[in-house]
Amino acid sequence: KDASGYILVQDQSPQRIVSADPAVTEILFAFNLQDRLVGVTGNCDYPEEVKQIKKIGDNKIDKNKLAMLKPDLVIISLPDYSREEIESFRNIRFMTIVTFETWKGEVSTEVREVSLEVFAVDPKSLSDVIETIDTLGTITNREHAAYSLTQRMKRRIEWVRARAMKEKRLKA
């Protein structure tokens, strides 16, 4: 369930991802998913490799550029986009070719009209950031990478807290 209340249902992990949030882009790179990132906004500028990925707009998403990339997942930040804008992205339709195996083991191909899957994030606190990382790990099938990243973050937070308490005791 995303920050807008939308429930994302997937058959498989996304292969063509668009990130409209710099923090999400960095998380996806931390998950080693840069090869699946097909579009980012102009605000996404780290790490350096992100500059090679197609831009879907500067501060706001260009719907035409977005549709041309035919992503199977768009990750967007709720504070940057209203619920109405997010719904308008979900209403974008495009044609795609889908190949699948039938129950007889035959390979079949068909053209389908697809709508965008848009997943909204809205972390407001450090615990929300950690939860967002876990959720992104789940929807991208990178649970282990998410767990590893959040554990490193938690250890670093504890280190900072311990250091702050030590400084506080020294000054008292």
Side-chain angles (χ1 to χ4, degrees):
K1 190 173 185 179
D2 79 354
S4 72
Y6 179 75
I7 297 174
L8 178 67
V9 179
Q10 305 175 174
D11 295 333
Q12 62 183 12
S13 62
Q15 302 300 306
R16 298 182 57 79
I17 304 170
V18 168
S19 171
D21 183 274
V24 168
T25 301
E26 289 182 37
I27 292 166
L28 296 175
F29 266 83
F31 291 174
N32 200 27
L33 289 173
Q34 56 271 20
D35 59 324
R36 294 190 192 177
L37 267 171
V38 295
V40 296
T41 64
N43 293 333
C44 300
D45 59 3
Y46 182 84
E48 188 68 28
E49 298 88 352
V50 80
K51 293 178 182 173
Q52 306 306 314
I53 300 171
K54 290 191 190 234
K55 303 295 182 248
I56 54 158
D58 290 323
N59 295 326
K60 289 291 183 178
I61 294 174
D62 180 315
K63 288 182 181 180
N64 291 325
K65 289 180 180 179
L66 179 62
M68 287 174 45
L69 292 175
K70 298 183 179 182
D72 47 18
L73 180 64
V74 179
I75 306 171
I76 202 163
S77 179
L78 192 56
D80 296 337
Y81 296 89
S82 69
R83 291 178 192 274
E84 292 78 23
E85 287 174 303
I86 291 170
E87 279 307 312
S88 75
F89 293 131
R90 288 186 178 127
N91 290 328
I92 294 173
R93 305 262 190 270
F94 57 89
M95 303 304 283
T96 189
I97 298 173
V98 179
T99 304
F100 56 93
E101 189 173 332
T102 67
W103 64 275
K104 294 179 181 178
E106 301 165 345
V107 175
S108 182
T109 303
E110 62 184 51
V111 176
R112 291 185 185 167
E113 184 180 65
V114 178
S115 59
L116 289 178
E117 287 289 356
V118 180
F119 193 85
V121 297
D122 188 18
K124 294 181 171 94
S125 66
L126 193 52
S127 62
D128 288 348
V129 170
I130 289 172
E131 184 179 330
T132 297
I133 291 169
D134 285 337
T135 301
L136 292 175
T138 299
I139 65 177
T140 60
N141 199 26
R142 289 291 203 267
E143 290 94 346
H144 181 73
Y147 178 79
S148 177
L149 178 58
T150 58
Q151 290 305 304
R152 285 193 315 268
M153 289 173 66
K154 288 174 183 177
R155 282 192 301 270
R156 183 71 175 175
I157 291 165
E158 283 307 311
W159 180 85
V160 169
R161 280 189 182 133
R163 185 84 189 248
M165 291 301 293
K166 182 179 177 183
E167 289 292 321
K168 188 176 178 180
R169 283 191 300 265
L170 289 174
K171 290 182 179 180

mmCIF file of all heavy atoms in Angstrom, residues 82-112:
data_model
loop_
_atom_site.group_PDB
_atom_site.id
_atom_site.type_symbol
_atom_site.label_atom_id
_atom_site.label_comp_id
_atom_site.label_asym_id
_atom_site.label_seq_id
_atom_site.Cartn_x
_atom_site.Cartn_y
_atom_site.Cartn_z
ATOM 1 N N SER A 82 0.187 16.178 -6.154
ATOM 2 C CA SER A 82 -1.091 16.015 -5.459
ATOM 3 C C SER A 82 -1.684 14.649 -5.790
ATOM 4 O O SER A 82 -1.274 13.997 -6.755
ATOM 5 C CB SER A 82 -2.065 17.112 -5.901
ATOM 6 O OG SER A 82 -2.453 16.907 -7.254
ATOM 7 N N ARG A 83 -2.652 14.249 -5.015
ATOM 8 C CA ARG A 83 -3.335 12.978 -5.283
ATOM 9 C C ARG A 83 -4.004 13.006 -6.663
ATOM 10 O O ARG A 83 -4.048 11.983 -7.351
ATOM 11 C CB ARG A 83 -4.351 12.693 -4.183
ATOM 12 C CG ARG A 83 -3.688 12.388 -2.856
ATOM 13 C CD ARG A 83 -4.711 12.158 -1.744
ATOM 14 N NE ARG A 83 -4.079 12.135 -0.441
ATOM 15 C CZ ARG A 83 -3.539 11.065 0.125
ATOM 16 N NH1 ARG A 83 -3.556 9.931 -0.506
ATOM 17 N NH2 ARG A 83 -2.986 11.135 1.315
ATOM 18 N N GLU A 84 -4.504 14.159 -7.063
ATOM 19 C CA GLU A 84 -5.142 14.290 -8.377
ATOM 20 C C GLU A 84 -4.114 14.095 -9.491
ATOM 21 O O GLU A 84 -4.393 13.429 -10.494
ATOM 22 C CB GLU A 84 -5.815 15.663 -8.528
ATOM 23 C CG GLU A 84 -7.010 15.872 -7.631
ATOM 24 C CD GLU A 84 -6.640 16.198 -6.172
ATOM 25 O OE1 GLU A 84 -5.516 16.687 -5.907
ATOM 26 O OE2 GLU A 84 -7.469 15.920 -5.296
ATOM 27 N N GLU A 85 -2.918 14.674 -9.322
ATOM 28 C CA GLU A 85 -1.872 14.489 -10.327
ATOM 29 C C GLU A 85 -1.449 13.024 -10.412
ATOM 30 O O GLU A 85 -1.253 12.492 -11.504
ATOM 31 C CB GLU A 85 -0.642 15.347 -9.993
ATOM 32 C CG GLU A 85 -0.835 16.828 -10.237
ATOM 33 C CD GLU A 85 0.360 17.638 -9.761
ATOM 34 O OE1 GLU A 85 0.718 17.545 -8.569
ATOM 35 O OE2 GLU A 85 0.936 18.355 -10.611
ATOM 36 N N ILE A 86 -1.334 12.384 -9.266
ATOM 37 C CA ILE A 86 -0.955 10.972 -9.246
ATOM 38 C C ILE A 86 -2.008 10.139 -9.969
ATOM 39 O O ILE A 86 -1.677 9.270 -10.780
ATOM 40 C CB ILE A 86 -0.740 10.481 -7.799
ATOM 41 C CG1 ILE A 86 0.511 11.148 -7.215
ATOM 42 C CG2 ILE A 86 -0.603 8.957 -7.754
ATOM 43 C CD1 ILE A 86 0.710 10.940 -5.734
ATOM 44 N N GLU A 87 -3.281 10.424 -9.721
ATOM 45 C CA GLU A 87 -4.352 9.704 -10.419
ATOM 46 C C GLU A 87 -4.288 9.967 -11.925
ATOM 47 O O GLU A 87 -4.552 9.071 -12.724
ATOM 48 C CB GLU A 87 -5.726 10.083 -9.865
ATOM 49 C CG GLU A 87 -6.093 9.352 -8.604
ATOM 50 C CD GLU A 87 -5.977 7.835 -8.710
ATOM 51 O OE1 GLU A 87 -6.477 7.229 -9.690
ATOM 52 O OE2 GLU A 87 -5.363 7.244 -7.799
ATOM 53 N N SER A 88 -3.934 11.197 -12.311
ATOM 54 C CA SER A 88 -3.839 11.489 -13.748
ATOM 55 C C SER A 88 -2.716 10.676 -14.387
ATOM 56 O O SER A 88 -2.837 10.253 -15.534
ATOM 57 C CB SER A 88 -3.645 12.991 -13.997
ATOM 58 O OG SER A 88 -2.329 13.400 -13.698
ATOM 59 N N PHE A 89 -1.635 10.417 -13.655
ATOM 60 C CA PHE A 89 -0.565 9.555 -14.180
ATOM 61 C C PHE A 89 -1.072 8.117 -14.301
ATOM 62 O O PHE A 89 -0.748 7.424 -15.259
ATOM 63 C CB PHE A 89 0.674 9.588 -13.283
ATOM 64 C CG PHE A 89 1.378 10.917 -13.262
ATOM 65 C CD1 PHE A 89 1.726 11.506 -12.059
ATOM 66 C CD2 PHE A 89 1.690 11.589 -14.432
ATOM 67 C CE1 PHE A 89 2.370 12.734 -12.021
ATOM 68 C CE2 PHE A 89 2.331 12.811 -14.417
ATOM 69 C CZ PHE A 89 2.663 13.390 -13.210
ATOM 70 N N ARG A 90 -1.858 7.685 -13.328
ATOM 71 C CA ARG A 90 -2.397 6.319 -13.380
ATOM 72 C C ARG A 90 -3.358 6.140 -14.549
ATOM 73 O O ARG A 90 -3.604 5.013 -14.983
ATOM 74 C CB ARG A 90 -3.088 5.977 -12.064
ATOM 75 C CG ARG A 90 -2.115 5.771 -10.935
ATOM 76 C CD ARG A 90 -2.790 5.282 -9.664
ATOM 77 N NE ARG A 90 -1.790 5.053 -8.635
ATOM 78 C CZ ARG A 90 -1.827 5.574 -7.416
ATOM 79 N NH1 ARG A 90 -2.853 6.317 -7.037
ATOM 80 N NH2 ARG A 90 -0.864 5.331 -6.560
ATOM 81 N N ASN A 91 -3.912 7.226 -15.052
ATOM 82 C CA ASN A 91 -4.841 7.148 -16.179
ATOM 83 C C ASN A 91 -4.136 7.176 -17.527
ATOM 84 O O ASN A 91 -4.799 7.021 -18.559
ATOM 85 C CB ASN A 91 -5.864 8.295 -16.101
ATOM 86 C CG ASN A 91 -6.835 8.092 -14.956
ATOM 87 O OD1 ASN A 91 -7.173 6.967 -14.610
ATOM 88 N ND2 ASN A 91 -7.264 9.182 -14.346
ATOM 89 N N ILE A 92 -2.831 7.347 -17.553
ATOM 90 C CA ILE A 92 -2.086 7.297 -18.814
ATOM 91 C C ILE A 92 -2.114 5.863 -19.320
ATOM 92 O O ILE A 92 -1.845 4.918 -18.583
ATOM 93 C CB ILE A 92 -0.630 7.782 -18.627
ATOM 94 C CG1 ILE A 92 -0.600 9.268 -18.260
ATOM 95 C CG2 ILE A 92 0.196 7.513 -19.886
ATOM 96 C CD1 ILE A 92 0.781 9.783 -17.904
ATOM 97 N N ARG A 93 -2.444 5.703 -20.584
ATOM 98 C CA ARG A 93 -2.495 4.380 -21.202
ATOM 99 C C ARG A 93 -1.516 4.345 -22.376
ATOM 100 O O ARG A 93 -1.326 5.332 -23.067
ATOM 101 C CB ARG A 93 -3.900 4.089 -21.737
ATOM 102 C CG ARG A 93 -5.002 4.233 -20.720
ATOM 103 C CD ARG A 93 -5.371 2.881 -20.161
ATOM 104 N NE ARG A 93 -6.575 2.917 -19.359
ATOM 105 C CZ ARG A 93 -6.586 3.131 -18.055
ATOM 106 N NH1 ARG A 93 -5.485 3.375 -17.422
ATOM 107 N NH2 ARG A 93 -7.716 3.104 -17.375
ATOM 108 N N PHE A 94 -0.920 3.168 -22.579
ATOM 109 C CA PHE A 94 -0.071 2.975 -23.742
ATOM 110 C C PHE A 94 -0.146 1.522 -24.174
ATOM 111 O O PHE A 94 -0.563 0.655 -23.408
ATOM 112 C CB PHE A 94 1.378 3.408 -23.476
ATOM 113 C CG PHE A 94 2.029 2.720 -22.302
ATOM 114 C CD1 PHE A 94 2.702 1.524 -22.456
ATOM 115 C CD2 PHE A 94 1.977 3.290 -21.040
ATOM 116 C CE1 PHE A 94 3.296 0.905 -21.380
ATOM 117 C CE2 PHE A 94 2.580 2.684 -19.955
ATOM 118 C CZ PHE A 94 3.244 1.470 -20.122
ATOM 119 N N MET A 95 0.242 1.278 -25.403
ATOM 120 C CA MET A 95 0.217 -0.075 -25.945
ATOM 121 C C MET A 95 1.581 -0.724 -25.716
ATOM 122 O O MET A 95 2.609 -0.079 -25.855
ATOM 123 C CB MET A 95 -0.098 -0.052 -27.440
ATOM 124 C CG MET A 95 -1.411 0.647 -27.771
ATOM 125 S SD MET A 95 -2.844 -0.044 -26.924
ATOM 126 C CE MET A 95 -3.118 -1.502 -27.866
ATOM 127 N N THR A 96 1.555 -1.995 -25.382
ATOM 128 C CA THR A 96 2.796 -2.737 -25.184
ATOM 129 C C THR A 96 2.611 -4.168 -25.669
ATOM 130 O O THR A 96 1.487 -4.670 -25.746
ATOM 131 C CB THR A 96 3.259 -2.701 -23.711
ATOM 132 O OG1 THR A 96 4.570 -3.244 -23.606
ATOM 133 C CG2 THR A 96 2.311 -3.469 -22.814
ATOM 134 N N ILE A 97 3.710 -4.789 -26.006
ATOM 135 C CA ILE A 97 3.681 -6.187 -26.439
ATOM 136 C C ILE A 97 4.035 -7.053 -25.238
ATOM 137 O O ILE A 97 5.041 -6.823 -24.576
ATOM 138 C CB ILE A 97 4.670 -6.423 -27.598
ATOM 139 C CG1 ILE A 97 4.260 -5.574 -28.802
ATOM 140 C CG2 ILE A 97 4.742 -7.905 -27.951
ATOM 141 C CD1 ILE A 97 5.254 -5.591 -29.934
ATOM 142 N N VAL A 98 3.192 -8.022 -24.971
ATOM 143 C CA VAL A 98 3.392 -8.916 -23.838
ATOM 144 C C VAL A 98 3.620 -10.327 -24.377
ATOM 145 O O VAL A 98 2.843 -10.825 -25.195
ATOM 146 C CB VAL A 98 2.169 -8.906 -22.892
ATOM 147 C CG1 VAL A 98 2.370 -9.866 -21.738
ATOM 148 C CG2 VAL A 98 1.894 -7.494 -22.399
ATOM 149 N N THR A 99 4.699 -10.948 -23.934
ATOM 150 C CA THR A 99 5.001 -12.325 -24.309
ATOM 151 C C THR A 99 4.850 -13.185 -23.065
ATOM 152 O O THR A 99 5.345 -12.840 -21.999
ATOM 153 C CB THR A 99 6.441 -12.435 -24.862
ATOM 154 O OG1 THR A 99 6.579 -11.529 -25.960
ATOM 155 C CG2 THR A 99 6.754 -13.842 -25.315
ATOM 156 N N PHE A 100 4.157 -14.299 -23.207
ATOM 157 C CA PHE A 100 3.950 -15.182 -22.065
ATOM 158 C C PHE A 100 3.854 -16.622 -22.544
ATOM 159 O O PHE A 100 3.655 -16.901 -23.723
ATOM 160 C CB PHE A 100 2.691 -14.782 -21.286
ATOM 161 C CG PHE A 100 1.438 -14.755 -22.119
ATOM 162 C CD1 PHE A 100 0.614 -15.866 -22.193
ATOM 163 C CD2 PHE A 100 1.095 -13.610 -22.829
ATOM 164 C CE1 PHE A 100 -0.532 -15.838 -22.960
ATOM 165 C CE2 PHE A 100 -0.057 -13.577 -23.598
ATOM 166 C CZ PHE A 100 -0.877 -14.697 -23.667
ATOM 167 N N GLU A 101 4.003 -17.528 -21.588
ATOM 168 C CA GLU A 101 3.901 -18.950 -21.894
ATOM 169 C C GLU A 101 2.504 -19.415 -21.531
ATOM 170 O O GLU A 101 2.003 -19.130 -20.442
ATOM 171 C CB GLU A 101 4.953 -19.722 -21.093
ATOM 172 C CG GLU A 101 5.076 -21.165 -21.507
ATOM 173 C CD GLU A 101 6.231 -21.858 -20.814
ATOM 174 O OE1 GLU A 101 7.214 -21.201 -20.464
ATOM 175 O OE2 GLU A 101 6.116 -23.085 -20.622
ATOM 176 N N THR A 102 1.857 -20.140 -22.453
ATOM 177 C CA THR A 102 0.513 -20.650 -22.196
ATOM 178 C C THR A 102 0.600 -21.901 -21.331
ATOM 179 O O THR A 102 1.675 -22.450 -21.111
ATOM 180 C CB THR A 102 -0.212 -21.005 -23.517
ATOM 181 O OG1 THR A 102 0.454 -22.115 -24.122
ATOM 182 C CG2 THR A 102 -0.249 -19.814 -24.461
ATOM 183 N N TRP A 103 -0.542 -22.368 -20.878
ATOM 184 C CA TRP A 103 -0.567 -23.566 -20.042
ATOM 185 C C TRP A 103 -0.090 -24.801 -20.799
ATOM 186 O O TRP A 103 0.317 -25.782 -20.210
ATOM 187 C CB TRP A 103 -1.955 -23.772 -19.436
ATOM 188 C CG TRP A 103 -3.043 -24.048 -20.451
ATOM 189 C CD1 TRP A 103 -3.764 -23.135 -21.145
ATOM 190 C CD2 TRP A 103 -3.496 -25.322 -20.866
ATOM 191 N NE1 TRP A 103 -4.652 -23.740 -21.989
ATOM 192 C CE2 TRP A 103 -4.508 -25.114 -21.822
ATOM 193 C CE3 TRP A 103 -3.165 -26.636 -20.537
ATOM 194 C CZ2 TRP A 103 -5.173 -26.149 -22.458
ATOM 195 C CZ3 TRP A 103 -3.844 -27.671 -21.170
ATOM 196 C CH2 TRP A 103 -4.829 -27.422 -22.108
ATOM 197 N N LYS A 104 -0.097 -24.728 -22.135
ATOM 198 C CA LYS A 104 0.400 -25.847 -22.950
ATOM 199 C C LYS A 104 1.905 -25.768 -23.175
ATOM 200 O O LYS A 104 2.483 -26.619 -23.819
ATOM 201 C CB LYS A 104 -0.297 -25.858 -24.312
ATOM 202 C CG LYS A 104 -1.766 -26.157 -24.260
ATOM 203 C CD LYS A 104 -2.350 -26.126 -25.647
ATOM 204 C CE LYS A 104 -3.833 -26.393 -25.633
ATOM 205 N NZ LYS A 104 -4.406 -26.322 -26.982
ATOM 206 N N GLY A 105 2.535 -24.708 -22.645
ATOM 207 C CA GLY A 105 3.973 -24.540 -22.834
ATOM 208 C C GLY A 105 4.336 -23.774 -24.093
ATOM 209 O O GLY A 105 5.509 -23.631 -24.421
ATOM 210 N N GLU A 106 3.339 -23.284 -24.818
ATOM 211 C CA GLU A 106 3.596 -22.508 -26.030
ATOM 212 C C GLU A 106 3.841 -21.054 -25.665
ATOM 213 O O GLU A 106 3.304 -20.545 -24.685
ATOM 214 C CB GLU A 106 2.384 -22.598 -26.967
ATOM 215 C CG GLU A 106 2.037 -24.010 -27.375
ATOM 216 C CD GLU A 106 0.651 -24.103 -27.988
ATOM 217 O OE1 GLU A 106 -0.148 -23.148 -27.842
ATOM 218 O OE2 GLU A 106 0.358 -25.133 -28.595
ATOM 219 N N VAL A 107 4.648 -20.385 -26.466
ATOM 220 C CA VAL A 107 4.894 -18.967 -26.249
ATOM 221 C C VAL A 107 3.897 -18.186 -27.085
ATOM 222 O O VAL A 107 3.716 -18.448 -28.271
ATOM 223 C CB VAL A 107 6.351 -18.589 -26.633
ATOM 224 C CG1 VAL A 107 6.557 -17.090 -26.522
ATOM 225 C CG2 VAL A 107 7.327 -19.340 -25.742
ATOM 226 N N SER A 108 3.256 -17.225 -26.436
ATOM 227 C CA SER A 108 2.249 -16.422 -27.108
ATOM 228 C C SER A 108 2.584 -14.943 -26.916
ATOM 229 O O SER A 108 3.124 -14.551 -25.891
ATOM 230 C CB SER A 108 0.873 -16.732 -26.523
ATOM 231 O OG SER A 108 -0.119 -15.998 -27.188
ATOM 232 N N THR A 109 2.272 -14.158 -27.918
ATOM 233 C CA THR A 109 2.522 -12.723 -27.864
ATOM 234 C C THR A 109 1.222 -11.999 -28.188
ATOM 235 O O THR A 109 0.503 -12.397 -29.098
ATOM 236 C CB THR A 109 3.611 -12.319 -28.883
ATOM 237 O OG1 THR A 109 4.783 -13.069 -28.617
ATOM 238 C CG2 THR A 109 3.933 -10.847 -28.804
ATOM 239 N N GLU A 110 0.947 -10.939 -27.436
ATOM 240 C CA GLU A 110 -0.227 -10.129 -27.726
ATOM 241 C C GLU A 110 0.043 -8.671 -27.382
ATOM 242 O O GLU A 110 0.915 -8.359 -26.573
ATOM 243 C CB GLU A 110 -1.458 -10.639 -26.988
ATOM 244 C CG GLU A 110 -1.370 -10.609 -25.479
ATOM 245 C CD GLU A 110 -2.598 -11.225 -24.817
ATOM 246 O OE1 GLU A 110 -2.997 -12.352 -25.159
ATOM 247 O OE2 GLU A 110 -3.141 -10.542 -23.928
ATOM 248 N N VAL A 111 -0.698 -7.813 -28.026
ATOM 249 C CA VAL A 111 -0.602 -6.379 -27.764
ATOM 250 C C VAL A 111 -1.676 -6.046 -26.736
ATOM 251 O O VAL A 111 -2.836 -6.438 -26.888
ATOM 252 C CB VAL A 111 -0.802 -5.556 -29.053
ATOM 253 C CG1 VAL A 111 -0.807 -4.067 -28.751
ATOM 254 C CG2 VAL A 111 0.266 -5.896 -30.075
ATOM 255 N N ARG A 112 -1.269 -5.331 -25.679
ATOM 256 C CA ARG A 112 -2.208 -4.964 -24.625
ATOM 257 C C ARG A 112 -2.124 -3.472 -24.344
ATOM 258 O O ARG A 112 -1.061 -2.878 -24.451
ATOM 259 C CB ARG A 112 -1.883 -5.694 -23.324
ATOM 260 C CG ARG A 112 -2.126 -7.156 -23.340
ATOM 261 C CD ARG A 112 -1.881 -7.749 -21.979
ATOM 262 N NE ARG A 112 -2.004 -9.193 -22.009
ATOM 263 C CZ ARG A 112 -1.604 -9.990 -21.047
ATOM 264 N NH1 ARG A 112 -1.060 -9.488 -19.961
ATOM 265 N NH2 ARG A 112 -1.734 -11.289 -21.149
#
